């Protein structure tokens, strides 16, 4: 698989892991490996013997690769120690990440929207019943089937990226702080790559909320509040990572 010249090297490093919606699965080594592991068994059946055999094989390959890389770079894997200073540094780093305004704002968005979906399940049920009734009546002036698909797609986008935004921003901030301890170079920064994915997720979430706004007029105030939160978060992230939008992701941006 790795020798397949059709694959785009590193395309999976800065994607959103939403393979069902990706147009590049046929050129992604990570996707091909996961599909190979699923072959001949039910998806998500973690107790399947074949699944764990495949996991063992992947582990062994990775372990051998790690040994080879360590030997090439002169790293002794048996003598790596986690010092008190290392622990304190990591704790300080994690604390700085949690207190960052982008992380706090993205967590706030996640909590507000999660709570709103839990409280307003009835709204979506009412809308579903309304669309089903229109389909049964075959109203020529209505497009209930198209509207149902639009609503379903919008909700899928919002819920998929809901926690994703917070996770990617935490990674971006973490990388940005660590970069301060590294010597500057001209290489693209991983923190910018993570921030770019978060920004794309924010963009898509804003678009999805816009679609919901057209169909859920009774929830206009709440949806506008979520849009304001996302717009503020987008502006914060672009200010914190001014080069993120320019980051070139393999495959997607080339």
């Amino acid at each position: 698989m790795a020798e397949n010249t059709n694959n785009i090297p590193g395309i999976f490093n800065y994607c959103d892991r939403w393979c069902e919606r990706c147009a590049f699965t046929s050129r992604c080594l990570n996707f091909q490996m996961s599909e190979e592991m699923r072959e001949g068994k039910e998806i998500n059946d973690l107790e399947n013997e074949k699944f764990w055999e495949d996991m063992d094989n992947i582990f062994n390959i990775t372990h051998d690769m790690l040994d080879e890389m360590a030997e090439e770079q002169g790293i002794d894997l048996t003598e790596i120690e986690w010092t008190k200073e290392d622990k304190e540094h990591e704790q300080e780093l994690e604390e700085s990440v949690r207190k960052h305004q982008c992380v706090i704002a993205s967590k706030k968005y996640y909590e507000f929207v999660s709570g709103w979906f839990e409280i307003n399940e009835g709204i979506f049920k009412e809308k579903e019943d309304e669309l089903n009734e229109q389909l049964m009546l075959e109203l020529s002036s209505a497009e209930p089937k198209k509207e149902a698909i639009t609503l379903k797609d919008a909700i899928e986008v919002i819920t998929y990226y809901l926690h994703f935004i917070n996770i990617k921003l935490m990674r971006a901030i973490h990388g940005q702080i660590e970069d301060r301890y590294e010597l500057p170079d001209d290489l693209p920064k991983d923190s910018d790559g993570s921030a770019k994915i978060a920004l794309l997720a924010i963009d898509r979430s804003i678009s999805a909320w816009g679609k919901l706004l057209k169909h859920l007029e009774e929830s206009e105030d709440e949806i506008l509040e979520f849009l304001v939160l996302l717009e503020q978060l987008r502006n914060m992230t672009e200010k914190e990572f001014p080069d993120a939008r320019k980051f070139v992701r393999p495959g997607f941006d080339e």
Side-chain angles (χ1 to χ4, degrees):
M1 289 184 191
E3 293 173 353
N4 184 352
T5 56
N6 184 57
N7 288 336
I8 300 173
I11 190 172
F12 46 80
N13 288 328
Y14 297 101
C15 73
D16 60 10
R17 296 293 187 267
W18 200 354
C19 297
E20 293 82 1
R21 296 273 184 171
C22 182
F24 290 94
T25 53
S26 65
R27 305 188 66 187
C28 176
L29 176 62
N30 194 52
F31 177 79
Q32 291 160 17
M33 290 177 64
S34 65
E35 287 299 291
E36 181 78 7
M37 292 171 65
R38 290 195 187 111
E39 188 177 342
K41 61 178 178 298
E42 294 181 5
I43 297 176
N44 296 327
D45 185 2
L46 300 184
E47 295 180 358
N48 186 287
E49 184 177 358
K50 178 69 165 58
F51 174 85
W52 292 112
E53 287 177 357
D54 289 340
M55 289 298 291
D56 285 340
N57 289 334
I58 295 294
F59 170 79
N60 290 330
I61 292 171
T62 306
H63 191 271
D64 291 343
M65 188 187 304
L66 179 61
D67 284 341
E68 289 178 10
M69 291 174 63
E71 185 176 351
E72 289 175 1
Q73 298 184 28
I75 299 173
D76 188 345
L77 296 174
T78 64
E79 294 186 2
I80 295 178
E81 296 181 359
W82 189 248
T83 66
K84 181 181 179 182
E85 289 75 16
D86 291 331
K87 292 178 182 178
E88 290 176 351
H89 171 71
E90 190 62 28
Q91 288 172 355
E92 291 175 3
L93 183 57
E94 294 300 330
E95 186 66 19
S96 297
V97 170
R98 283 194 296 270
K99 290 182 177 179
H100 195 280
Q101 61 175 355
C102 290
V103 173
I104 292 173
S106 60
K107 185 179 180 183
K108 180 180 178 181
Y109 169 73
Y110 166 74
E111 291 174 345
F112 279 15
V113 174
S114 296
W116 184 79
F117 271 110
E118 288 180 10
I119 294 172
N120 291 283
E121 285 185 66
I123 292 178
F124 299 105
K125 183 66 172 66
E126 290 173 8
K127 194 66 181 179
E128 181 183 354
D129 293 341
E130 177 187 329
L131 293 173
N132 286 334
E133 184 178 350
Q134 291 178 15
L135 280 171
M136 290 176 64
L137 295 174
E138 296 182 352
L139 298 177
S140 58
S141 61
E143 295 183 324
K145 187 173 182 180
K146 183 179 179 180
E147 186 176 350
I149 293 173
T150 298
L151 285 171
K152 180 176 179 294
D153 287 346
I155 292 169
E156 279 188 3
V157 170
I158 291 167
T159 53
Y160 184 84
Y161 290 124
L162 191 53
H163 196 214
F164 179 90
I165 294 171
N166 178 255
I167 291 173
K168 286 301 174 183
L169 283 176
M170 289 184 70
R171 176 182 171 88
I173 299 298
H174 191 286
Q176 183 191 58
I177 296 173
E178 284 195 320
D179 286 342
R180 298 171 188 168
Y181 300 95
E182 302 290 335
L183 293 174
D185 55 44
D186 296 329
L187 296 174
K189 292 183 172 59
D190 177 77
S191 55
D192 282 336
S194 297
K196 180 167 187 175
I197 307 171
L199 283 168
L200 290 173
I202 292 171
D203 294 343
R204 292 168 182 174
S205 296
I206 288 174
S207 176
W209 280 116
K211 289 183 178 180
L212 281 190
L213 189 60
K214 293 180 181 179
H215 300 286
L216 298 176
E217 295 179 359
E218 63 273 32
S219 299
E220 180 178 327
D221 291 343
E222 293 97 329
I223 292 175
L224 286 174
E225 184 178 352
F226 300 145
L227 284 169
V228 169
L229 280 173
L230 281 174
E231 183 64 21
Q232 290 173 338
L233 178 58
R234 186 176 70 84
N235 290 334
M236 279 183 210
T237 305
E238 288 181 335
K239 185 177 180 180
E240 192 68 38
F241 299 92
D243 296 324
R245 293 282 189 185
K246 294 182 286 186
F247 186 92
V248 177
R249 297 173 301 150
F252 297 105
D253 302 325
E254 294 173 320

